Amino acid sequence: MRTSISTIPFQLRRDSFGKLVITLENGEEWVGVMPVRAFPIQAPTKGISLVRDGGKEVAWIDDLADMPDTIRALIREEIEGREFIPEILAIKEVSSFATPCTWFVKTDRGDTEFVLKVDEDIRRIGEASLLVADSHGINFLVRDMFKIDKHSRKILDRFL
């Protein structure tokens, strides 16, 4: 169910410098607010805090899907500009099953390769998600290791 614009307790826009500006119902305005996800991996569209300088929360969004299209687009754009966690869609191959090794993967941002230094750089997040850190500290997400293709799952099993 969509929330109508009239029940949203704030307005959001960009200023001429590209910063997000929030105007609250009481007329209070904050420049440079940032959206922060409460659960970026498990529930990326739920529980989003809009914070000002110093990390002080000025607004809370229970579910981004309930926001008007313009607000939803601004928040997604801002988050995508700050966060970089490519999602691994398939593991094409690995250079070795001993670390360090090079992984050749297909992600939601295109094909790439990275070096896995040690097995401990693969961390479980919840029941089915994994974070894989490369040798440069970039995190790659496997959203659901049980839904990834059979070949990729076989490779993952060798490292888990």
Side-chain angles (χ1 to χ4, degrees):
M1 180 177 161
R2 299 263 180 216
T3 305
S4 69
I5 293 175
S6 61
T7 62
I8 305 299
F10 61 86
Q11 291 298 312
L12 197 62
R13 63 179 173 80
R14 285 203 186 275
D15 68 7
S16 58
F17 298 105
K19 293 186 176 202
L20 284 182
V21 178
I22 189 169
T23 305
L24 304 176
E25 279 181 316
N26 65 6
E28 199 172 8
E29 191 170 270
W30 297 97
V31 177
V33 295
M34 292 188 318
V36 178
R37 294 176 176 172
F39 308 102
I41 306 287
Q42 264 77 355
T45 64
K46 298 190 188 309
I48 297 174
S49 178
L50 295 173
V51 297
R52 62 180 174 90
D53 291 339
K56 301 287 185 185
E57 183 176 287
V58 293
W60 176 262
I61 299 170
D62 286 326
D63 191 341
L64 196 54
D66 294 337
M67 293 287 105
D69 292 342
T70 54
I71 290 177
R72 192 169 45 249
L74 284 169
I75 290 173
R76 281 195 175 130
E77 185 179 279
E78 190 71 17
I79 287 173
E80 287 172 3
R82 263 193 357 263
E83 293 181 357
F84 182 73
I85 303 179
E87 183 176 344
I88 294 175
L89 304 174
I91 303 168
K92 295 178 176 183
E93 66 178 299
V94 292
S95 63
S96 167
F97 289 109
T99 54
C101 61
T102 302
W103 286 35
F104 300 89
V105 298
K106 175 182 178 184
T107 75
D108 62 338
R109 297 174 188 232
D111 291 355
T112 192
E113 62 185 72
F114 62 85
V115 174
L116 180 74
K117 289 192 301 187
V118 293
D119 292 348
E120 289 77 25
D121 285 338
I122 302 174
R123 296 186 311 270
R124 289 182 187 265
I125 309 268
E127 290 281 320
S129 298
L130 302 170
L131 269 183
V132 181
D134 77 356
S135 60
H136 300 290
I138 296 172
N139 287 307
F140 292 81
L141 173 66
V142 176
R143 189 160 307 279
D144 189 337
M145 66 182 176
F146 302 114
K147 291 184 180 174
I148 203 162
D149 67 274
K150 189 176 181 178
H151 174 73
S152 299
R153 176 70 188 160
K154 199 173 188 178
I155 291 172
L156 277 175
D157 285 344
R158 299 282 301 264
F159 287 92
L160 297 176

